[in-house]
Amino acid sequence: AEFAQLIATVQADDTLRALILTGAGGCFCAGGDLRAMSEARRPPHASRARVKAVHRWFRDLVNLEIPVIAAVDGPAYGAGFSLALTADVVLATPRARFCAVFGRIGLVPDLGMFYLLPRLVGLGRARELILSARSVKAAEAQALGIVQAIHEPEALLPAARRLARRFAHGAPAALGLSKNILNQALHLDQHALEDLECHAQAVCMDTDYYRDAVRRTLAKEPLAFD
């Protein structure tokens, strides 16, 4: 419920330029509360409705038109792994662990993992990670393309904030439209992507940011986003 409120707040605030997702106490997110889930004793239709309700804010998080950075320290298990996959950039510590743990307790992946993981690591690797339910350490996650950089625990949040501040100097329209189109790139054909590209470029070329960047370039001045 708090995530749904947070994402709605972020969507409504056009002054925000980036979002950092992180955990606390050496844990990014350990996944679902198994005790609460087992005690709930919901019938199948109620469990299905609960998962569908989560997807309402989750879909909005995936499609936020600002850069999202995940700062992962410790376990990102189950839905916590899915949550990390929503980020455009994932930074991790050496003690970060990623695991599609669902199979160990007789569940299928949720919180969008079926959509996000194959697009990031490929279908074959996604199959292996989901079916084996094995834990992936930070170095392997970086090799797979899940993680973009590894920092020591004390340096993780400062690194995430530095990156977020860099996005603060970027062009909101260009960043937002680029992310929007990239999120559709693997299920649209070339013609549709060309149309989106043409529309987005026309919008961006009509912004003050673009005009100022051209002026700076011609005047041999530093660019704001550099």
Side-chain angles (χ1 to χ4, degrees), residues 22-31 71-77 95:
T22 194
C27 178
F28 179 74
C29 177
V72 180
D73 185 25
Y77 271 40
R95 62 188 183 187

Side-chain angles (χ1 to χ4, degrees), residues 85-105:
L85 293 172
T86 67
D88 303 294
V89 180
V90 178
L91 309 180
T93 69
R95 62 188 183 187
R97 300 289 185 273
F98 301 85
C99 184
V101 71
F102 308 94
R104 297 187 192 180
I105 56 172

Side-chain angles (χ1 to χ4, degrees), residues 25-26 43 51 63 66 71 104 131 145 165 195 215:
V51 176
N63 292 298
I66 58 173
R104 297 187 192 180
L131 297 179
R165 283 193 293 270
D195 280 347
R215 181 196 62 76

Side-chain angles (χ1 to χ4, degrees), residues 44-124:
H45 71 274
S47 293
R48 181 174 183 270
R50 180 177 178 272
V51 176
K52 285 179 70 67
V54 171
H55 274 278
R56 295 189 186 103
W57 64 257
F58 183 79
R59 189 181 302 114
D60 289 338
L61 173 58
V62 171
N63 292 298
L64 278 179
E65 292 193 359
I66 58 173
V68 176
I69 303 160
V72 180
D73 185 25
Y77 271 40
F81 187 7
S82 298
L83 191 60
L85 293 172
T86 67
D88 303 294
V89 180
V90 178
L91 309 180
T93 69
R95 62 188 183 187
R97 300 289 185 273
F98 301 85
C99 184
V101 71
F102 308 94
R104 297 187 192 180
I105 56 172
L107 296 179
V108 301
D110 60 18
L111 207 63
M113 186 174 289
F114 283 123
Y115 177 82
L116 295 169
L117 189 59
R119 283 165 169 76
L120 186 61
V121 302
L123 183 57

Side-chain angles (χ1 to χ4, degrees), residues 14 16-18 65-67 164-179 200-201 203-213 223-226:
D14 61 6
L16 298 181
R17 295 291 177 262
E65 292 193 359
I66 58 173
R165 283 193 293 270
R166 183 166 189 269
F167 288 129
H169 300 291
L175 290 172
L177 288 168
S178 292
K179 182 170 175 179
Q201 198 70 302
V203 169
C204 290
M205 293 180 76
D206 194 42
T207 61
D208 291 337
Y209 192 101
Y210 167 74
R211 285 186 281 268
D212 180 65
L223 293 174
F225 187 52
D226 203 355

Side-chain angles (χ1 to χ4, degrees), residues 31-49:
D33 183 338
L34 294 182
R35 186 180 302 278
M37 290 164 63
S38 65
E39 291 173 352
R41 299 285 183 180
R42 298 183 186 88
H45 71 274
S47 293
R48 181 174 183 270

